[in-house]
Amino acid sequence: MSASTAEITEYCLKTAQAARKASYQLASLDAEVKNRWLGESAAALIKSEKKIVAANQIDLDAAAGYGLSDAAIDRLRLDSGRIASIATALEEIAMLPDPIGEVIDGFTRPGGLQILKRRVPLGVVFFIYESRPNVTADAAGICVKSGNAVILRGGKEAIHSSQAIVDVLAKTASHCGLPENAVQLVSTTDRAAVGEFLKLGELIDVTIPRGGEGLIRRVAAEATMPVIKHFDGNCHVYVDKDADIEMAVEIIENAKCQRMGVCNACESLLIHEAIASKALPEIAKRLTERGVEMRADERAKSIVPSATAATEEDWSTEYLGPTISVAVVDTIEQAAEHINRYGSHHTDAIVTGNLKAAEIFTTLVDSSAVMVNASTRFNDGGVFGLGAEIGISTDKFHARGPCGLRELTTYKYIVRGDGHVRT
Amino acid sequence: MSASTAEITEYCLKTAQAARKASYQLASLDAEVKNRWLGESAAALIKSEKKIVAANQIDLDAAAGYGLSDAAIDRLRLDSGRIASIATALEEIAMLPDPIGEVIDGFTRPGGLQILKRRVPLGVVFFIYESRPNVTADAAGICVKSGNAVILRGGKEAIHSSQAIVDVLAKTASHCGLPENAVQLVSTTDRAAVGEFLKLGELIDVTIPRGGEGLIRRVAAEATMPVIKHFDGNCHVYVDKDADIEMAVEIIENAKCQRMGVCNACESLLIHEAIASKALPEIAKRLTERGVEMRADERAKSIVPSATAATEEDWSTEYLGPTISVAVVDTIEQAAEHINRYGSHHTDAIVTGNLKAAEIFTTLVDSSAVMVNASTRFNDGGVFGLGAEIGISTDKFHARGPCGLRELTTYKYIVRGDGHVRT
């Protein structure tokens, strides 16, 4: 793009101001209006298939020039099946209960003052994501349903596809009584625009970056507003001395291998010394069958000599591929300490038949989700029943774990008196 | 202090590491242990009256040298009555329900996975405050009751008093099974220490600054962790066309005059044009009796000629004294727009007998608390029934309005399966 810095600064400011204005209108919209927009948008996307596919073709033609892998190009591609899935996702969001207006708490105080704590939108969401164009509609749907205006910053690789989708959403908005700037796509692909938006903490209430760790760290460092994020997912499975070994093998295989490149995949295995010599060979056998390399500490390597020796760096590495680090521990407490020290506070699991052990582990491990006898892969908004998910947070502030509609809201105290004054 | 920069850096790091370690122990403490510590600390403070008063005398002797006003010196002073109040406050915190372990939500998913959302502590709180020594015990009590370790950074003017109080709390901790570093007072008064702690976002979960706007802005700008704060409180009372004028006069007088120097005092009056010529003279009469100067826009000044003409700056000024800005508006929407633009998102009130007007105002005004026919002075943790308050937040993220025990917590998902793997 040839826009000057001053032009980009002004564009970002105007976009954010328009979003702020739209957010005040959105805050008082009836659920019915938002749901009608979701439903009509779903229908309009299917009707606009030709236009969307044509726009997508422009992105596909440019993809090789961006150096996208075949897998990435496949994820970029839109056809009628995929457009139908995008539409279905919007219809599903329409069916979720509206979080806005929910009364979270309420009480009448001595003297008769009536206090309500009412759920309200955060306001303006700045959402940064990579090249999959289906995310464009998903994020717009989740933000608007929770009463927020959204500024979408998609990857340049999908810019024409995303613009075609947002055009449909915006056109439907004007039909349904939604403010026209409820959903805006950042039209410049200049990287400077991200920096400009991140300065606008007075106009934007939260930034949600989705993508590689480098992008997320940059956003977290520069943002003048709160950020919902997770940097990485160095997830652990701890096999307790009272574990069912067969169950442990199945859970580890699933957590490690079901999808290797995702944030809730298992990257590290801890095992109690009392069960290690019996369980570890069986676990190693299964992982080897699945092509997974083990990086083992001294004790684990003495049991599985074929494993590679782990270095200190391995304990904090998110491999996102066919490698797992393995360490033997003496106690549950030692396992928890290791996890809290090297992990990402994302998802960690214990395999045990012992109730007390489960209680100690779930209390001590400081992660967004702690699993007992279940795969780490279950940490997901859909699985948890949130219905739709805009991201996973490993922070403790505001929202932790999968973030759905409620996590994009805050509350407001509404106090009713009858001329009450304070004495 | 003569400590070198390197010494301060190391001191802060060690203090934060000790707090982090203590926080993991605190997270699994029974309510009984925390309550016993609160009760025994209350008793021990009263028993240690002599020591505390002697330490307080050192601060009082130094106060003039710090240029403290007589009022500030009075707030600094501890005697047996004030020590008894501090003790009572701890006993009251002991009586509040323990937020930790509360199950916020829970469900069984298709397939039998059991999911609990359980309330847990944030972890480590860094609390920065000014010279009133009673805040030392209060903040320690609230943080520990909510399962958090706390690093207290009090004003240098009260350092000996605060240290004497923390010595008592720490000694009691060791009796009661609380980790010894649950409550730590920053022993250096070097200002560089604040900056060092603010860098430690990996060890400290939240910073809460209480004090002047300059301090809070500095903390918000430098902090690498979330901050619970309000910069200022430019609070409004809007008198609707359907207001009871007598009620309006009483509420405005109370909101403006009951305590002028506090964040929930009224600083600005908006009035509907249909009622202005009748109501404004009565309001002006009462405010003049109370020695309050009015800074009025053109229309308001035409009704109250004795008022000073307001400048643009007046609309965003928090006077914290006997001045109030006054503007006439044409609609409720215009009042809300003015408040959202110039206000602090703290506390704003409407006076009206009209149900629809109340609904519009409470929906449109984007503040932590919106009052209907009640004084702005009611925005307070005690009034709202939170039991104890560590601050008021004007942010929308995490906690909004008065922050008590629950606002110092987060949650964790605990997922129980029986060998569940994801397919």
Side-chain angles (χ1 to χ4, degrees):
Chain A
M1 302 294 279
S2 58
S4 71
T5 309
E7 279 167 349
I8 290 175
T9 304
E10 203 198 326
Y11 167 78
C12 295
L13 180 64
K14 284 201 165 157
T15 304
Q17 283 170 335
R20 166 61 73 207
K21 204 178 152 195
S23 78
Y24 286 131
Q25 296 168 262
L26 276 163
S28 51
L29 278 192
D30 206 90
E32 212 177 87
V33 175
K34 298 183 280 190
N35 292 341
R36 195 185 316 135
W37 172 74
L38 287 161
E40 289 193 16
S41 292
L45 284 171
I46 288 171
K47 261 195 214 151
S48 311
E49 183 188 313
K50 256 194 201 160
K51 261 194 200 160
I52 295 171
V53 167
N56 183 244
Q57 192 57 50
I58 304 176
D59 289 330
L60 289 170
D61 291 344
Y66 290 131
L68 290 194
S69 67
D70 285 352
I73 292 176
D74 180 60
R75 284 196 295 269
L76 181 57
R77 189 181 311 277
L78 291 176
D79 53 27
S80 52
R82 286 191 177 169
I83 292 172
S85 302
I86 293 174
T88 303
L90 292 181
E91 283 164 352
E92 284 170 1
I93 295 170
M95 291 194 298
L96 295 172
D98 189 349
I100 300 308
E102 185 188 341
V103 175
I104 304 171
D105 215 341
F107 23 84
T108 302
R109 296 294 299 159
L113 214 55
Q114 290 173 26
I115 300 178
L116 289 185
K117 198 172 170 183
R118 189 189 284 173
R119 199 180 286 287
V120 299
L122 279 173
V124 176
V125 178
F126 177 41
F127 183 66
I128 308 170
Y129 57 108
E130 291 184 325
S131 53
R132 283 194 303 162
N134 62 315
V135 176
T136 303
D138 247 32
I142 294 172
C143 289
V144 168
K145 174 85 186 208
S146 53
N148 297 286
V150 62
I151 300 168
L152 298 163
R153 160 70 181 209
K156 62 180 182 309
E157 302 83 358
I159 185 82
H160 298 91
S161 315
S162 293
Q163 189 63 61
I165 291 169
V166 170
D167 285 348
V168 172
L169 301 180
K171 210 172 159 186
T172 317
S174 63
H175 281 287
C176 300
L178 221 65
E180 72 176 313
N181 294 313
V183 178
Q184 296 179 89
L185 181 74
V186 178
S187 60
T188 170
T189 55
D190 197 308
R191 293 191 64 180
V194 171
E196 289 301 317
F197 280 115
L198 293 180
K199 288 180 193 162
L200 302 175
E202 301 283 313
L203 293 168
I204 297 172
D205 294 288
V206 60
T207 293
I208 305 175
R210 237 154 72 171
E213 193 181 333
L215 168 75
I216 297 170
R217 289 206 180 268
R218 179 197 157 195
V219 168
E222 285 186 33
T224 56
M225 68 287 287
V227 176
I228 293 177
K229 64 176 191 300
H230 68 269
F231 291 132
D232 55 7
N234 180 16
C235 304
H236 296 72
V237 174
Y238 163 63
V239 180
D240 185 48
K241 69 175 161 48
D242 292 322
D244 175 314
I245 293 177
E246 202 176 316
M247 185 192 286
V249 172
E250 296 299 328
I251 285 177
I252 291 161
E253 178 188 19
N254 185 263
K256 178 70 232 174
C257 306
Q258 197 236 352
R259 256 182 94 187
M260 298 229 185
V262 293
C263 61
N264 57 16
C266 172
E267 305 290 4
S268 193
L269 165 64
L270 303 177
I271 188 161
H272 194 282
E273 56 89 19
I275 201 175
S277 61
K278 206 170 156 207
L280 213 45
E282 296 191 38
I283 296 166
K285 181 165 173 281
R286 181 72 64 89
L287 289 174
T288 305
E289 283 167 17
R290 298 296 301 261
V292 176
E293 178 201 349
M294 293 173 86
R295 304 264 177 95
D297 75 346
E298 214 167 299
R299 285 197 281 179
K301 195 163 156 49
S302 77
I303 299 166
V304 184
S306 63
T308 314
T311 64
E312 175 70 14
E313 215 194 319
D314 280 300
W315 309 125
S316 39
T317 299
E318 182 189 28
Y319 303 108
L320 296 170
T323 308
I324 192 168
S325 62
V326 187
V328 175
V329 296
D330 297 313
T331 59
I332 306 174
E333 287 78 6
Q334 201 182 315
E337 210 176 305
H338 180 108
I339 291 168
N340 288 339
R341 177 169 173 197
Y342 293 109
S344 308
H345 308 288
H346 193 297
T347 313
D348 301 285
I350 182 173
V351 185
T352 188
N354 184 313
L355 196 57
K356 184 80 189 153
E359 190 53 34
I360 294 174
F361 189 83
T362 54
T363 301
L364 292 183
V365 170
D366 186 22
S367 297
S368 85
V370 186
M371 310 300 198
V372 179
N373 296 334
S375 170
T376 55
R377 290 279 296 117
F378 285 113
N379 190 359
D380 175 278
V383 172
F384 282 12
L386 304 189
E389 168 184 302
I390 193 141
I392 288 186
S393 164
T394 54
D395 287 326
K396 295 183 193 172
F397 214 66
H398 184 74
R400 197 177 197 192
C403 294
L405 298 177
R406 278 193 181 164
E407 288 70 25
L408 291 178
T409 68
T410 179
Y411 53 82
K412 171 196 278 189
Y413 284 98
I414 295 178
V415 181
R416 288 208 184 178
D418 183 28
H420 283 64
V421 294
R422 194 163 170 187
T423 47
Chain B
M1 301 297 276
S2 59
S4 71
T5 309
E7 277 166 350
I8 290 175
T9 305
E10 204 199 326
Y11 167 77
C12 295
L13 180 64
K14 284 202 166 157
T15 303
Q17 284 171 335
R20 168 60 72 208
K21 204 178 154 197
S23 79
Y24 284 131
Q25 295 169 263
L26 276 163
S28 51
L29 277 194
D30 207 272
E32 213 177 89
V33 175
K34 298 184 279 190
N35 292 340
R36 196 186 314 138
W37 172 74
L38 287 161
E40 289 194 14
S41 293
L45 284 170
I46 288 173
K47 262 196 215 152
S48 312
E49 186 190 309
K50 256 193 202 161
K51 260 193 200 161
I52 295 171
V53 167
N56 183 243
Q57 193 56 50
I58 304 176
D59 289 331
L60 289 171
D61 292 343
Y66 290 132
L68 290 194
S69 68
D70 285 354
I73 292 176
D74 180 58
R75 285 196 295 271
L76 182 57
R77 189 181 309 279
L78 292 176
D79 53 25
S80 51
R82 287 190 174 169
I83 292 172
S85 302
I86 294 174
T88 303
L90 292 181
E91 283 164 352
E92 283 170 2
I93 295 170
M95 292 193 300
L96 295 171
D98 189 350
I100 301 306
E102 186 187 341
V103 174
I104 303 171
D105 216 342
F107 22 86
T108 302
R109 300 291 301 159
L113 215 54
Q114 291 173 27
I115 300 179
L116 289 186
K117 198 173 170 183
R118 187 189 285 175
R119 198 181 288 286
V120 299
L122 280 172
V124 176
V125 178
F126 178 38
F127 184 66
I128 308 171
Y129 58 109
E130 292 184 326
S131 53
R132 284 195 302 162
N134 62 313
V135 175
T136 303
D138 247 31
I142 294 172
C143 289
V144 168
K145 175 83 186 208
S146 53
N148 297 286
V150 62
I151 300 168
L152 299 163
R153 161 67 181 209
K156 63 179 180 309
E157 302 83 356
I159 185 83
H160 297 92
S161 316
S162 294
Q163 189 63 61
I165 292 168
V166 170
D167 285 349
V168 172
L169 302 180
K171 210 170 158 188
T172 318
S174 64
H175 280 289
C176 300
L178 223 65
E180 70 176 314
N181 294 313
V183 178
Q184 296 179 89
L185 180 75
V186 178
S187 60
T188 170
T189 56
D190 197 308
R191 293 191 63 180
V194 171
E196 288 301 317
F197 280 116
L198 294 178
K199 288 179 192 163
L200 302 174
E202 300 282 314
L203 293 169
I204 297 172
D205 295 288
V206 61
T207 292
I208 305 176
R210 239 156 69 172
E213 193 180 334
L215 168 75
I216 297 170
R217 289 206 181 269
R218 179 197 158 196
V219 168
E222 285 185 32
T224 56
M225 68 289 287
V227 176
I228 292 178
K229 63 175 190 299
H230 68 271
F231 291 132
D232 55 7
N234 180 16
C235 303
H236 297 71
V237 175
Y238 163 63
V239 180
D240 186 47
K241 69 173 161 49
D242 293 323
D244 175 314
I245 293 178
E246 202 176 318
M247 186 192 285
V249 172
E250 297 297 331
I251 285 176
I252 291 161
E253 179 189 17
N254 185 262
K256 179 69 231 173
C257 307
Q258 197 235 351
R259 255 181 95 187
M260 299 228 184
V262 294
C263 60
N264 57 16
C266 172
E267 306 290 4
S268 195
L269 166 64
L270 303 176
I271 187 160
H272 194 283
E273 57 90 18
I275 201 175
S277 61
K278 205 170 156 209
L280 213 43
E282 296 192 37
I283 295 166
K285 182 165 172 278
R286 181 71 66 89
L287 289 175
T288 307
E289 284 167 14
R290 299 294 303 260
V292 175
E293 178 200 349
M294 292 173 86
R295 305 264 176 94
D297 75 347
E298 216 168 298
R299 284 197 281 179
K301 196 166 154 47
S302 77
I303 299 167
V304 183
S306 63
T308 313
T311 64
E312 174 71 13
E313 215 194 321
D314 279 301
W315 309 124
S316 39
T317 299
E318 183 190 27
Y319 302 109
L320 296 172
T323 308
I324 191 168
S325 63
V326 187
V328 174
V329 297
D330 297 314
T331 59
I332 307 174
E333 287 78 5
Q334 202 181 313
E337 211 176 303
H338 180 107
I339 291 167
N340 289 339
R341 179 170 171 197
Y342 293 108
S344 308
H345 309 289
H346 194 296
T347 313
D348 301 285
I350 182 174
V351 185
T352 189
N354 184 313
L355 197 58
K356 185 79 189 152
E359 190 54 34
I360 295 174
F361 189 83
T362 53
T363 302
L364 292 183
V365 170
D366 187 21
S367 296
S368 84
V370 187
M371 309 300 194
V372 179
N373 297 332
S375 170
T376 55
R377 290 277 297 116
F378 285 113
N379 190 358
D380 174 278
V383 171
F384 283 12
L386 304 190
E389 171 185 300
I390 194 142
I392 288 186
S393 164
T394 54
D395 288 327
K396 295 183 193 172
F397 214 66
H398 184 73
R400 198 177 196 194
C403 295
L405 297 177
R406 276 193 181 163
E407 288 69 26
L408 291 178
T409 68
T410 180
Y411 53 83
K412 171 196 277 188
Y413 284 97
I414 296 178
V415 181
R416 286 207 186 182
D418 183 29
H420 283 63
V421 295
R422 194 163 170 186
T423 47

